[in-house]
């Protein structure tokens, strides 16, 4: 049996033809002696380009921490480049004129490269269309655990590539691929594309004319641009395509499958993706040969799948809280579901934020995928980005229902009663509502103040005329008796003149985290009387600031955030909220304790 090192050597030869396995190790450091052949840290070269010029095919270059202000050009070489620390090994070509002009940071021609642990940075030059961090005119590349910061395009690629554990942040566009041979292989996985651009056109992956095999899986594609960027992935080639287990958030069109050369060569598979907040989820062109769209979740967006009438197999998808039509020009799937998927943390997506699109226990998306597609544990596939053979196996949490929203009160004077109505909860394990009443504003709910238990969203309470003031709140209960946070508080006041005043009594408040004690995660909730700048901070019991959990403008009403304390020691921690209003005027602050127990 071959050893792992022998298998790796064979793979290198296959991916990088012509590479020599007899190689030198060279070093690059801002503090080295700059003495060729740069074989130690003490004699390391002070310039990455100078070291690359000295190298021959097969060499490996280790790059020390530091900011290297230069551009890179490599031709006719096969090399491995490894940074010591991704965040601190920075190649910054901002304002630097290179061999190929000021627009491209790294230019590779007939070069087969394996690049690891480097941050590439080059500010966009306004008025130019193609500012690339890395541009491969010819050759193959493996890019692992790298970051591209603030460029127009992250990559321009004409040959094969494997991109893994990669981050594009604050970029205008992600990867532009143009291929020409059926033998080329492309894989983009486990990566984050955070796009700030509001330009039209493909923003994350633009797959131009050509051929080859193309796999996109386990990635996150998000934007907070306004207006929203046009589309995340555009396919315009004769390729074998698989798009699986990705999260798409906020893109006008998440996936656009077109062709300029007579139709995609093979079936396009779009399985187990979660598409959130897209006016159009998936668009298929009229000359795409054949496609399969299954096990996807479309939520909080517009239309689902728009087809120009081409042939496809679309089924076992879930739709929730969308404003547009589910399908255009194709019939709906026989096994599609319209329901709340019950995500663990269904919230606005931000890079490294607190969102969590795993499924809760009792989610109607569990085991509802195509029976021929299995999860990693061998059961029938779940819907969404964590289902299927490339998904994850995890413990389904039984969380409390979402807080009741839309509580309204109407006083019917002719029969002396208050009519309460609210929006219906959508969880599949919802069981009932509790109605609470008190004469004190911002009251704490308990069983002595409960006046109703029901499953409907309509409740009547007799309230005779005469001066009085009462307050109502509603909570939701699931089948396991988990109780939600309370709704906003509604106040009904009857004056001496029998006037009735009804108001939503939303006040500033910081609530006790839940659960408490906890391990390893807990939810902190708060309410705002009016919109404001919110800072939520976490401290040790001695008052040392650990981190700022939230920093930004939040809307009036109820808000919550989930924090994870993995890596922290057991003990008592503090959390503080600070709210400022217009003109930086402080509006509210509060401090509470919580207990983390391992």
């Amino acid at each position: 049996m071959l050893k792992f090192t022998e298998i790796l050597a064979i793979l290198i030869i296959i991916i990088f033809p012509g590479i020599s396995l007899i190689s030198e190790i060279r070093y690059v450091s801002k503090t080295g002696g700059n003495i060729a052949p740069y074989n130690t840290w003490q004699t390391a070269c002070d310039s990455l380009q100078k070291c690359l010029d000295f190298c021959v095919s097969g060499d490996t270059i280790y790059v020390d921490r530091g900011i290297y202000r230069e551009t890179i050009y490599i031709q006719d070489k096969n090399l491995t480049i490894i940074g010591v620390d991704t965040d601190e090994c920075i190649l910054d070509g901002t304002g630097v004129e290179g061999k190929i002009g000021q627009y491209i940071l790294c230019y590779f021609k007939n070069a087969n490269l394996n690049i690891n642990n480097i941050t590439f940075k080059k500010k966009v030059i306004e008025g130019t269309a193609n500012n690339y961090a890395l541009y491969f005119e010819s050759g193959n590349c493996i890019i692992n655990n790298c970051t591209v910061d603030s460029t127009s395009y992250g990559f321009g690629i004409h040959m094969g590539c494997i991109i893994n554990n990669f981050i594009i942040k604050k970029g205008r566009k992600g990867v532009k691929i143009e291929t020409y041979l059926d033998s080329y292989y492309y894989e983009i996985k486990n990566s984050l594309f955070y796009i700030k651009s509001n330009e039209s056109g493909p923003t994350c992956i633009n797959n131009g004319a050509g051929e080859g095999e193309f796999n996109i899986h386990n990635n996150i594609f998000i934007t907070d641009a306004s207006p929203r960027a046009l589309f995340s992935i555009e396919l315009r080639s004769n390729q074998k395509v698989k798009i699986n287990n990705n999260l798409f958030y906020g893109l006008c069109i998440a996936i656009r499958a077109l062709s300029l050369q007579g139709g995609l060569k093979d079936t396009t598979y779009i399985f187990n993706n979660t598409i959130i907040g897209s006016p159009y989820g998936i668009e298929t062109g009229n000359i795409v040969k054949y496609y399969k769209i299954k096990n996807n979740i479309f939520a909080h967006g517009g239309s689902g799948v728009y087809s120009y009438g081409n042939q496809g197999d679309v089924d076992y998808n879930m739709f929730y809280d969308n404003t547009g039509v589910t399908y255009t020009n194709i019939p709906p799937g026989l096994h599609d579901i319209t329901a709340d998927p019950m995500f663990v943390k269904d919230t606005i997506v931000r890079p490294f934020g607190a969102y969590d699109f795993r499924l809760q226990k009792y989610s109607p998306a569990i085991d509802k995928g195509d029976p021929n597609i299995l999860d990693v544990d061998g059961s029938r596939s779940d819907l969404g980005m964590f289902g299927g053979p490339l998904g994850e196996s995890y413990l389904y949490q039984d969380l409390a229902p979402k807080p009741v929203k839309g509580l309204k009160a109407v006083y019917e004077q002719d029969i002396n009663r208050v009519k309460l109505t609210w929006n219906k909860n959508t969880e599949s394990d919802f069981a009932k509502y509790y109605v609470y009443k008190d004469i004190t504003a911002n009251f704490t709910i308990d069983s002595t103040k409960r006046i109703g238990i029901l499953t409907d969203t309509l409740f009547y309470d007799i309230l005779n005329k005469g001066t009085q003031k009462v307050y109502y709140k509603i909570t939701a209960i699931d089948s396991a008796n988990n109780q939600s946070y309370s709704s906003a508080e509604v106040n009904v006041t009857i004056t001496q003149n029998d006037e009735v005043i009804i108001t939503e009594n939303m006040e500033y408040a910081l609530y006790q985290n839940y659960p408490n004690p906890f391990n390893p995660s807990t939810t902190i909730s708060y309410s705002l009387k009016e919109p404001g700048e919110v800072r939520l901070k976490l401290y040790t019991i001695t008052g040392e600031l650990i981190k700022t959990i939230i920093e930004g403008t939040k809307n009036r009403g109820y808000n919550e955030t989930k924090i994870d304390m993995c890596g922290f020691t057991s003990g008592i921690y503090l959390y503080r909220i600070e709210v400022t209003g217009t003109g930086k005027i402080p509006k509210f602050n509060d401090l509470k304790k919580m207990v983390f127990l391992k």
Side-chain angles (χ1 to χ4, degrees), residues 176-395:
K176 183 177 182 180
I177 297 176
E178 297 198 29
T179 61
Y180 301 100
L181 294 175
D182 186 60
S183 60
Y184 291 165
Y185 177 81
Y186 298 87
E187 184 173 28
I188 301 175
K189 59 183 179 179
N190 306 323
S191 297
L192 168 65
F193 290 73
Y194 175 37
I195 303 300
K196 297 286 288 185
S197 171
N198 57 12
E199 297 179 5
S200 62
T203 57
C204 292
I205 299 176
N206 177 15
N207 181 21
E211 299 182 353
E213 184 175 347
F214 197 43
N215 293 281
I216 307 171
H217 57 90
N218 298 99
N219 302 289
I220 297 173
F221 302 95
I222 62 177
T223 182
D224 58 6
S226 180
R228 288 174 176 173
L230 185 54
F231 35 90
S232 177
I233 298 177
E234 182 177 47
L235 309 170
R236 289 179 173 268
S237 58
N238 298 322
Q239 288 196 319
K240 311 166 187 177
V241 178
K242 294 180 180 178
I243 304 174
N244 300 340
N245 299 90
N246 303 286
L247 169 64
F248 300 91
Y249 180 86
L251 281 301
C252 184
I253 302 174
I255 303 170
R256 197 180 197 207
L258 306 174
S259 179
L260 300 179
Q261 298 187 358
L264 290 170
K265 187 167 187 176
D266 292 281
T267 300
T268 297
Y269 298 89
I270 304 175
F271 288 175
N272 287 102
N273 300 284
T274 297
I275 300 173
I276 307 289
S278 289
Y280 297 92
I282 300 174
E283 179 184 280
T284 62
N286 58 348
I287 50 177
V288 175
K289 184 176 181 181
Y290 192 75
Y291 58 85
K292 292 187 177 183
I293 302 174
K294 295 185 176 183
N295 298 1
N296 304 286
I297 296 178
F298 302 79
H300 310 307
S303 299
V305 181
Y306 188 99
S307 172
Y308 289 93
N310 43 324
Q311 186 180 9
D313 181 5
V314 181
D315 203 357
Y316 298 99
N317 297 298
M318 173 173 278
F319 300 87
Y320 171 63
D321 188 32
N322 298 302
T323 59
V325 296
T326 303
Y327 294 104
T328 301
N329 296 329
I330 51 173
L334 295 177
H335 306 92
D336 286 346
I337 300 172
T338 300
D340 183 348
M342 296 175 60
F343 296 128
V344 169
K345 185 69 173 177
D346 187 356
T347 187
I348 295 174
V349 174
R350 291 289 183 269
F352 319 109
Y355 60 88
D356 187 344
F357 294 107
R358 290 176 298 172
L359 304 174
Q360 296 184 44
K361 192 175 182 180
Y362 307 117
S363 165
I366 295 174
D367 295 336
K368 291 299 191 298
D370 186 322
N372 296 312
I373 301 174
L374 302 181
D375 281 342
V376 292
D377 61 4
S379 63
R380 181 175 171 177
S381 174
D382 294 346
L383 305 183
M385 62 187 290
F386 295 104
L390 297 179
E392 293 182 10
S393 178
Y394 58 94
L395 180 66

Side-chain angles (χ1 to χ4, degrees), residues 337-561:
I337 300 172
T338 300
D340 183 348
M342 296 175 60
F343 296 128
V344 169
K345 185 69 173 177
D346 187 356
T347 187
I348 295 174
V349 174
R350 291 289 183 269
F352 319 109
Y355 60 88
D356 187 344
F357 294 107
R358 290 176 298 172
L359 304 174
Q360 296 184 44
K361 192 175 182 180
Y362 307 117
S363 165
I366 295 174
D367 295 336
K368 291 299 191 298
D370 186 322
N372 296 312
I373 301 174
L374 302 181
D375 281 342
V376 292
D377 61 4
S379 63
R380 181 175 171 177
S381 174
D382 294 346
L383 305 183
M385 62 187 290
F386 295 104
L390 297 179
E392 293 182 10
S393 178
Y394 58 94
L395 180 66
Y396 301 117
Q397 301 180 56
D398 186 8
L399 302 179
K402 299 172 186 174
V404 173
K405 296 181 179 180
L407 177 60
K408 303 295 181 185
V410 176
Y411 186 67
E412 300 175 337
Q413 298 194 34
D414 54 335
I415 51 179
N416 298 331
R417 71 179 184 182
V418 175
K419 180 174 75 171
L420 298 175
T421 59
W422 56 91
N423 298 337
K424 185 176 179 61
N425 277 61
T426 56
E427 295 87 359
S428 63
D429 62 337
F430 166 78
K432 56 194 172 187
Y433 295 105
Y434 287 167
V435 182
Y436 297 90
K437 173 184 173 182
D438 199 6
I439 60 173
T440 304
N442 300 312
F443 68 94
T444 301
I445 59 174
D446 61 50
S447 59
T448 65
K449 299 164 187 172
R450 190 167 64 210
I451 61 171
I453 302 175
L454 68 163
T455 58
D456 198 3
T457 58
L458 173 64
F459 181 80
Y460 292 101
D461 183 37
I462 299 299
L463 194 62
N464 293 322
K465 293 181 180 180
T467 303
Q468 56 182 307
K469 183 180 288 188
V470 296
Y471 300 87
Y472 297 96
K473 292 180 181 178
I474 313 288
T475 62
I477 314 297
D478 66 18
S479 56
N481 214 35
N482 295 312
Q483 184 172 19
S484 73
Y485 290 104
S486 66
S487 66
E489 190 175 78
V490 170
N491 165 235
V492 179
T493 300
I494 302 177
T495 68
Q496 290 179 340
N497 301 322
D498 288 338
E499 270 190 282
V500 178
I501 302 173
I502 298 174
T503 58
E504 183 184 34
N505 186 36
M506 184 61 68
E507 296 293 336
Y508 291 110
L510 176 64
Y511 302 108
Q512 187 63 52
N513 63 298
Y514 178 84
N516 188 47
F518 65 93
N519 178 26
S521 60
T522 187
T523 296
I524 298 173
S525 59
Y526 58 94
S527 64
L528 304 179
K529 186 175 183 178
E530 56 189 32
E533 187 77 14
V534 175
R535 287 176 174 82
L536 185 64
K537 300 177 181 180
L538 179 65
Y539 300 85
T540 66
I541 192 61
T542 59
E544 296 294 325
L545 176 64
I546 297 174
K547 65 177 179 178
T548 299
I549 303 168
I550 294 175
E551 184 173 11
T553 302
K554 299 297 179 181
N555 294 328
R556 176 180 185 269
Y558 176 87
N559 297 270
E560 64 178 40
T561 187

